[in-house]
Amino acid sequence: IPIIAFCYPEYARLLEYKCGVFIPSLADLPQAISQILADYEQYRANAYACFEALYDYRSNIRPLAQWIREKC
């Protein structure tokens, strides 16, 4: 699912994936929604790629858990 979020430095990495629109204020929300709807399939594909790269258990959490088991 594409995201709409405020422009916080913590989200900078998400910008690389072009998985959503980042807004400075709520006044920009209608334009952000329109922007995503105009190219929804691309935003959706980018959001899924972002999830797989950064948040998917199989590619991120599982290796970390394995590393912890090996070290402890």
Side-chain angles (χ1 to χ4, degrees):
I1 298 173
I3 64 167
I4 297 174
F6 287 109
C7 299
Y8 294 134
E10 294 82 8
Y11 297 144
R13 187 153 186 210
L14 299 178
L15 286 171
E16 298 170 17
Y17 288 89
K18 299 179 181 162
C19 60
V21 177
F22 299 88
I23 58 175
S25 71
L26 282 177
D28 298 304
L29 185 59
Q31 182 180 355
I33 292 170
S34 295
Q35 184 176 340
I36 288 175
L37 291 176
D39 197 12
Y40 182 77
E41 288 304 315
Q42 187 63 52
Y43 278 105
R44 185 186 64 78
N46 292 347
Y48 188 74
C50 179
F51 166 79
E52 284 188 318
L54 302 178
Y55 302 107
D56 186 38
Y57 172 80
R58 293 170 292 182
S59 58
N60 293 294
I61 305 303
R62 187 184 301 172
L64 175 62
Q66 181 64 34
W67 181 84
I68 291 170
R69 275 189 228 108
E70 291 171 2
K71 300 296 179 187
C72 294

